[in-house]
Amino acid sequence: MIQGRVVKLDRGYPLVALPDGRRLRCEHATALVKTQDQRAVIGDIVEVEIPADHTMGIIEAIEPRQREFVRKDPTERAQAQVLAANFDRVIVAQPLAEVNLRRLERELVLAHQTGAAVTVVLTKTDLAEDEAQIEAVREKVRALVGDSVETLLVTSADPQSVEAVRALIPPQTMAVLMGRSGVGKSSLVNLLVGEDVQETNAVREGDGKGRHTTVSREIISIPGGGFIVDMPGVRGLGLWEAESGLEAAFSDITELANQCRFRDCRHQDEPGCAVQAALQEGSLAQARFDSYQALKAEAETLERRREEARWMAGERKSEGGRGAKAKRGRAKSGSSRSSKKSRS
């Protein structure tokens, strides 16, 4: 058994880097899938068996993960989908000329939920109208992310801005780069590496939009630094077990809520509500509070659905047990009647 690391995921099988430098395509052991229903993701440390008569390696076990990037599976009602594992930092990329603050809030919740360090990088600054727009957007983002999250501007025209991002990923560390399609993630990776390792498409003049070309997740080595994973543009950002992520992404509201008179304050019309007081005096923006409430309600709704799914699964399991007992009872009863009939 050899231990390796999953370094690439695409439409085929996981590519695992082995200690001797080889990279081996692998499939999952049947027992692993059946007993744990678990699949290896980018960054996973795995135990691999290499049969002599097999063209691929077999992943027999997945080591416990230090950290996971998890979202709600967009194809399931209440299932988690792990996108990456065992990383140290999440870099959230947004294009400066068209920052989507509502999406950024959601991205920050998911990023903080991992427990990793979080940084926001504003790309495509060359498309800004002027310095005034750059500063205005940067201040809006800073106000949203808070003092605990660094916000960087990056452009190919300024090598120092690229070096500032590279400094976030020192040797022996790994960063996950997230953002919607077309925000310039692949271009940023190419700048960090110093060559075109990620394919990029031309963008339209004026709006900087183009089709994102990354379709696989791959760990890419940064010269003089660590590693980065350019995740394909993630459209669905469903929250999953996001309580701590919400608290971190909206730390200002969390701090206010701790000052409310009642611990179970709903921040509506309760007396002594510090959140409502901040809204009335203008120190807390109504739009930010509304976004927080919407995301919190989404997380709570998902948690109820998960509880319902667990309850239904328990009921089905219980019914299966009762059904088996009933069948055994009917079989025993039939056997007893047959025995009586034969004696008569």
Side-chain angles (χ1 to χ4, degrees), residues 41-195:
V41 301
I42 195 78
D44 264 329
I45 305 299
V46 296
E47 298 289 338
V48 177
E49 185 73 29
I50 308 178
D53 58 346
H54 206 281
T55 58
M56 291 190 295
I58 300 176
I59 297 175
E60 297 286 351
I62 301 172
E63 295 297 306
R65 294 163 177 161
Q66 297 178 350
R67 188 170 286 121
E68 294 179 327
F69 190 101
V70 186
R71 69 170 176 176
K72 177 183 173 294
D73 191 330
T75 64
E76 298 289 343
R77 184 168 181 262
Q79 294 289 328
Q81 183 183 40
V82 182
L83 300 181
N86 303 322
F87 47 89
D88 305 282
R89 182 178 295 274
V90 178
I91 297 177
V92 181
Q94 284 260 354
L96 183 138
E98 49 180 14
V99 168
N100 185 328
L101 294 178
R102 298 290 78 80
R103 180 183 173 91
L104 179 56
E105 286 174 336
R106 184 178 291 269
E107 289 172 332
L108 288 170
V109 171
L110 289 168
H112 280 297
Q113 188 64 32
T114 68
V118 180
T119 304
V120 173
V121 171
L122 299 178
T123 62
K124 301 185 178 181
T125 57
D126 54 308
L127 295 179
E129 297 175 358
D130 49 34
E131 286 296 325
Q133 183 191 19
I134 292 175
E135 191 58 32
V137 172
R138 180 160 55 181
E139 287 306 311
K140 283 184 180 180
V141 173
R142 282 175 174 170
L144 173 63
V145 304
D147 296 333
S148 62
V149 176
E150 187 176 13
T151 301
L152 300 177
L153 301 177
V154 64
T155 172
S156 58
D158 182 8
Q160 290 187 347
S161 70
V162 180
E163 288 303 315
V165 178
R166 183 183 282 111
L168 298 173
I169 318 169
Q172 306 305 315
T173 68
M174 187 171 85
V176 169
L177 180 58
M178 68 174 295
R180 63 177 175 79
S181 297
V183 302
K185 299 194 305 298
S186 295
S187 296
L188 176 56
V189 171
N190 291 338
L191 289 172
L192 292 171
V193 175
E195 59 180 294

Side-chain angles (χ1 to χ4, degrees), residues 206-265:
D207 63 7
K209 293 181 179 179
R211 185 172 60 85
H212 190 80
T213 54
T214 304
V215 296
S216 64
R217 301 186 189 107
E218 181 177 5
I219 295 178
I220 298 171
S221 178
I222 300 174
F227 304 89
I228 192 166
V229 177
D230 176 12
M231 293 203 298
V234 180
R235 293 182 180 179
L237 291 174
L239 304 184
W240 186 264
E241 295 183 347
E243 183 177 350
S244 63
L246 277 166
E247 290 180 356
F250 293 89
S251 57
D252 53 340
I253 297 178
T254 301
E255 292 174 5
L256 287 170
N258 290 333
Q259 301 170 26
C260 292
R261 181 183 302 177
F262 302 107
R263 294 184 62 183
D264 60 347
C265 183

Side-chain angles (χ1 to χ4, degrees), residues 265-270 273 276 280 289 293:
C265 183
R266 297 173 298 166
H267 316 307
Q268 295 178 359
D269 53 5
E270 295 88 350
C273 176
Q276 283 297 323
Q280 292 171 13
F289 178 65
Q293 290 285 71

Side-chain angles (χ1 to χ4, degrees), residues 293-307:
Q293 290 285 71
L295 291 171
K296 192 172 189 303
E298 177 184 330
E300 291 172 348
T301 298
L302 177 59
E303 179 58 30
R304 286 195 298 271
R305 289 178 177 175
R306 291 175 59 203
E307 287 294 332

